[in-house]
Amino acid sequence: QVQLVESGGGLVQPGGSLRLSCAASGTLFRLYAVGWYRQAPGQQRELVATITGGHSTNYADSVKGRFTISRDNAKNTVTLQMNSLKPEDTAVYYCTLHMPTTIWGQGTQVTVSS
C-alpha cells in the first residue's frame, strides 16, 4: 500500500552538504512519524532523526546542530538536510514511515571523503 522512494545520496567532501529526500506513496502520510536511519558496514544501525505528524523533531547527538529533518505533507515528502558533513557520516541512509507496520525505503549511499 505504501512505498518510500529516496534520493539525494552521493559523494561529498568533508564540510560539505547533501539533501536527502524521501517521497511516499499511499494514504494518511501526515498522521505518521518518519525516521531517518543510517548504517555503515559492520556498524550498528543508528537512528539519526525523527519527525512526528505534529512536526516535533529529535536528533542523535552525533548529528545534532548539523542535520535538519522536515516534512511537506501536501507533497508526501520528508527531507534530511545534512550540513558540515564528516567522514563518520558515511553510511547508507534509510527513510522509514512508522505506521502500525514500519515501512522502509531502499536506502541511499552517502560517502564523505576527500
Side-chain angles (χ1 to χ4, degrees):
Q1 293 181 336
V2 177
Q3 293 183 342
L4 303 176
V5 179
E6 302 173 6
S7 61
L11 174 65
V12 66
Q13 293 184 336
S17 297
L18 285 174
R19 185 177 67 217
L20 306 184
S21 295
C22 176
S25 63
T27 60
L28 303 179
F29 170 81
R30 72 186 190 280
L31 299 180
Y32 302 114
V34 172
W36 283 96
Y37 288 81
R38 67 185 182 186
Q39 188 167 28
Q43 300 288 331
Q44 182 179 356
R45 187 175 63 198
E46 179 184 20
L47 179 60
V48 175
T50 61
I51 185 166
T52 69
H55 298 269
S56 297
T57 59
N58 282 287
Y59 300 92
D61 288 342
S62 57
V63 307
K64 196 174 185 66
R66 299 187 297 119
F67 290 12
T68 302
I69 188 171
S70 61
R71 69 192 300 161
D72 184 340
N73 289 333
K75 295 182 178 180
N76 279 17
T77 59
V78 173
T79 297
L80 185 67
Q81 178 67 45
M82 306 185 296
N83 299 325
S84 302
L85 283 162
K86 305 174 181 179
E88 52 262 44
D89 295 318
T90 296
V92 178
Y93 284 71
Y94 299 91
C95 179
T96 60
L97 181 64
H98 292 266
M99 300 170 62
T101 298
T102 299
I103 305 299
W104 289 74
Q106 81 284 358
T108 185
Q109 177 71 47
V110 171
T111 302
V112 185
S113 176
S114 298

